[in-house]
Amino acid sequence: MAVKSFSMSQIAWFNTMRDALSLRGLDMDELVRQCGQTFNALEMDVNALSDLMSCVWEMAVQRTGDASIGLTPPTHPLSAFGVIAQLLLSAQDLLDAARSMARFAALVSPTFAMDVVREGENCLVTFSIAGGRRPVPMQRFDFVAMVFLTGARWLTGKALVPHVLHMPFAQPPDVGPWRRAYGCPIVFDAEAFRVEFLLRDMLQPLPTRDPAVADMCARLALQASVQTGGQFTVKVRQAVARILSKGDPHREQIAELLCVSERTLQRRLSEEGTSFAEIVDAHRRERAEQLLAQGRLSVSEMAFELGFSDPSNFYRACKRWFGLSPASFRSTS
């Protein structure tokens, strides 16, 4: 069954994307049609939606011949953040705003994740975008970074320039547009899309800060996150599904796939009322029920497909899930 990926507020991100493309003379709806799709964010699952957005950016590059098109700054950056815009406005400083954005990234887009870590005199902000069947193009990361940087400059009224930027892509023939847009050294062929800021820049107080409003907005954002079905939980479950047949999944593996720290992964799952162990167990149970009903694999093959190191562990899990052994469950299916 498709996972509903969006609330109405999350469409704000794509309206911001549509506006940025229009600044370059492109019609996003036309690009969507050229990708052979119709855009219905309220109905598409996360993987299909991510593939469509990747295709749209690829088509934008083809139409303009400009690989740096993702660097187009949005006209109204805060509008991209939907229901959490007021939370960002009322934050104490940029670091506080960035942490709130990371905490509620799923309310901005279910395909997007962010991690914020203080490291000495630096602050590391890592962006990740969940892909479907298509590789995620550079332009999507560039656009996320431009929304973040433009929004930060709007919040403070001051220029925020990264200290260093790491990009998991090969260096373009002409790096000029990227150097001008980011204003800092760029490390290409990196492991992840990570932006390093000087901590003192991220501790700039916001003129609109208001602790009482921030607390109220955080409660509302948390409520909205729960109502949308726990989008970060969906991302973790999808990551678990991708690696389960390779063995027992571990938190550090999934955190690395989603470009977040283990601590962030655990905290965000807790906020959505679940845990990593519960997600793994629930996915295994659902998948085991499917495999047992299909009846094509042996018990040993099913055990390894579900990431169990030993068939006896699968046997015990079936007894706990269904009150039956694998063979008995299969015979009743």
Side-chain angles (χ1 to χ4, degrees):
M1 182 176 67
V3 178
K4 302 303 182 192
S5 53
F6 272 70
S7 67
M8 289 301 294
S9 65
Q10 292 165 325
I11 298 177
W13 177 266
F14 293 97
N15 286 336
T16 302
M17 178 175 157
R18 177 182 280 108
D19 291 341
L21 289 171
S22 69
L23 293 175
R24 300 299 303 273
L26 298 174
D27 184 334
M28 181 171 164
D29 294 327
E30 181 185 347
L31 296 178
V32 167
R33 288 192 293 272
Q34 290 178 352
C35 289
Q37 298 287 334
T38 55
F39 181 62
N40 189 341
L42 295 175
E43 295 297 329
M44 300 181 74
D45 65 50
V46 173
N47 288 333
L49 185 63
S50 184
D51 280 343
L52 176 56
M53 293 302 99
S54 291
C55 180
V56 166
W57 282 110
E58 290 167 3
M59 294 298 299
V61 173
Q62 290 180 22
R63 291 283 299 274
T64 62
D66 184 4
S68 67
I69 191 171
L71 299 173
T72 305
T75 305
H76 305 289
L78 288 191
S79 66
F81 301 113
V83 295
I84 70 167
Q86 188 60 48
L87 175 60
L88 303 184
L89 280 165
S90 57
Q92 175 66 27
D93 49 41
L94 278 180
L95 179 59
D96 186 26
R99 285 173 168 166
S100 293
M101 183 176 169
R103 181 184 182 189
F104 297 111
L107 290 176
V108 178
S109 170
T111 67
F112 168 68
M114 176 177 165
D115 198 30
V116 180
V117 178
R118 287 182 61 167
E119 192 173 276
E121 295 302 312
N122 293 326
C123 176
L124 312 182
V125 180
T126 303
F127 299 107
S128 64
I129 298 175
R133 292 180 295 274
R134 308 175 74 102
V136 177
M138 176 191 295
Q139 292 74 28
R140 288 184 70 184
F141 284 99
D142 281 334
F143 186 66
V144 169
M146 281 297 102
V147 171
F148 179 85
L149 288 172
T150 308
R153 292 162 183 163
W154 195 94
L155 286 170
T156 61
K158 301 177 182 178
L160 177 67
V161 179
H163 183 52
V164 181
L165 187 134
H166 301 260
M167 298 188 71
F169 299 95
Q171 180 173 315
D174 177 12
V175 298
W178 285 268
R179 287 176 176 163
R180 289 190 292 273
Y182 293 118
C184 68
I186 302 173
V187 178
F188 291 95
D189 293 313
E191 293 183 359
F193 194 99
R194 180 171 294 115
V195 191
E196 295 184 21
F197 298 98
L198 295 177
L199 182 59
R200 65 172 181 266
D201 292 337
M202 294 296 288
L203 292 177
Q204 295 182 57
L206 304 188
T208 52
R209 61 190 180 277
D210 189 322
V213 173
D215 184 63
M216 178 188 67
C217 290
R219 291 197 301 271
L220 292 173
L222 182 58
Q223 182 181 4
S225 180
V226 172
Q227 289 174 344
T228 58
Q231 297 293 352
F232 189 72
T233 299
V234 172
K235 293 181 182 180
V236 172
R237 186 177 175 114
Q238 290 171 333
V240 167
R242 290 202 302 270
I243 70 169
L244 191 60
S245 62
K246 299 177 182 178
D248 195 22
H250 300 286
R251 278 192 301 271
E252 59 269 25
Q253 290 175 286
I254 302 302
E256 183 177 355
L257 283 173
L258 298 179
C259 292
V260 299
S261 65
E262 285 188 64
R263 183 177 178 181
T264 296
L265 183 142
Q266 290 176 283
R267 187 196 73 238
R268 292 180 65 178
L269 290 178
S270 177
E271 289 170 350
E272 295 185 0
T274 188
S275 69
F276 182 74
E278 289 173 342
I279 290 173
V280 173
D281 191 65
H283 180 73
R284 276 178 163 158
R285 173 176 177 153
E286 182 180 309
R287 183 66 179 141
E289 194 167 1
Q290 294 171 349
L291 293 174
L292 287 165
Q294 291 168 359
R296 293 196 296 265
L297 301 179
S298 68
V299 171
S300 293
E301 288 171 330
M302 282 187 283
F304 292 120
E305 177 72 19
L306 296 171
F308 290 106
S309 58
D310 190 293
S312 62
N313 294 333
F314 176 46
Y315 179 91
R316 286 192 289 270
C318 281
K319 293 285 286 185
R320 175 168 54 85
W321 292 330
F322 312 122
L324 298 169
S325 68
S328 298
F329 185 91
R330 175 177 281 173
S331 66
T332 62
S333 299

